[in-house]
Amino acid sequence: MSNLFFIDNKKHPPRPSRSSPGSLPVLSIEGTKGSGLVLRCESEGWYPEPELEWFDNNGAILPAAGPTETETDTEGFYTVRRNVTIQQTDNNWFTCRVQQQNITRTKHIRIPDDIFPKPCQSYWTVGLCLAVGAAVGAAVAAPMGHVVGYRRAKRHWATGETEDPEIL
């Protein structure tokens, strides 16, 4: 016999008989996005379903990089996870808070400065940096070539020297 029950002709796992505070959040770095980092917060074993929020060091709520993902295990307990894209700050402290009713679990993380992507570290920014570098190089080289050519012509005009065109 299955331990599922039906509501509106849909199978549902049994509901736990009492609330469960769930685990401490687990924080991880999922990758980079532009000049920022994608952080993930995950906590499991909650009942009823908790709320999950990310905060910066000043306590301001950070916008999520999508909706909170929610799963229910076979016993009716919830696992929640949410990603947020963060930018480098003066101290790089961030907090994940998972709460339900009067139970709150928080976890703090400090990201070292050298973990954040540097300019020209992602593929599209590398291309952009190369293009800008080439443009700056051309802008510097063109006047220099003009000056060198002008000096050469002036020297030739003044001295009457000629050079082998193959060497130029």
Side-chain angles (χ1 to χ4, degrees):
M1 183 167 174
S2 172
N3 60 347
L4 299 176
F5 66 94
F6 293 86
I7 297 177
D8 299 329
N9 294 326
K10 295 180 184 175
K11 291 182 182 180
H12 295 275
R15 292 186 176 139
S17 59
R18 60 183 175 84
S19 65
S20 174
S23 66
L24 279 175
V26 175
L27 308 181
S28 60
I29 299 173
E30 296 296 301
T32 61
K33 186 173 184 182
S35 62
L37 292 175
V38 178
L39 300 182
R40 173 172 280 204
C41 176
E42 183 171 342
S43 183
E44 58 187 17
W46 290 87
Y47 187 84
E49 182 177 350
E51 294 180 11
L52 188 156
E53 295 285 353
W54 277 99
F55 299 89
D56 66 12
N57 189 55
N58 299 319
I61 295 175
L62 297 171
T68 300
E69 300 172 31
T70 305
E71 295 175 2
T72 309
D73 68 15
T74 57
E75 297 178 13
F77 293 102
Y78 290 91
T79 296
V80 290
R81 69 184 64 84
R82 179 180 251 184
N83 292 353
V84 66
T85 302
I86 58 162
Q87 300 299 319
Q88 192 169 4
T89 66
D90 58 342
N91 59 28
N92 298 328
W93 276 103
F94 303 93
T95 301
C96 174
R97 181 182 74 197
V98 184
Q99 74 178 41
Q100 72 165 214
Q101 300 165 355
N102 60 348
I103 300 169
T104 301
R105 301 273 194 248
T106 59
K107 188 84 175 248
H108 308 281
I109 187 171
R110 183 187 180 284
I111 308 294
D113 289 337
D114 59 348
I115 300 294
F116 284 87
K118 305 296 180 262
C120 294
Q121 198 171 16
S122 65
Y123 291 119
W124 75 268
T125 55
V126 168
L128 179 62
C129 288
L130 288 174
V132 168
V136 168
V140 169
M144 300 262 315
H146 178 70
V147 168
V148 169
Y150 173 75
R151 286 183 181 162
R152 219 180 251 163
K154 187 176 175 183
R155 185 178 68 232
H156 291 304
W157 179 77
T159 62
E161 294 177 8
T162 59
E163 293 184 18
D164 184 1
E166 295 295 321
I167 299 174
L168 293 177

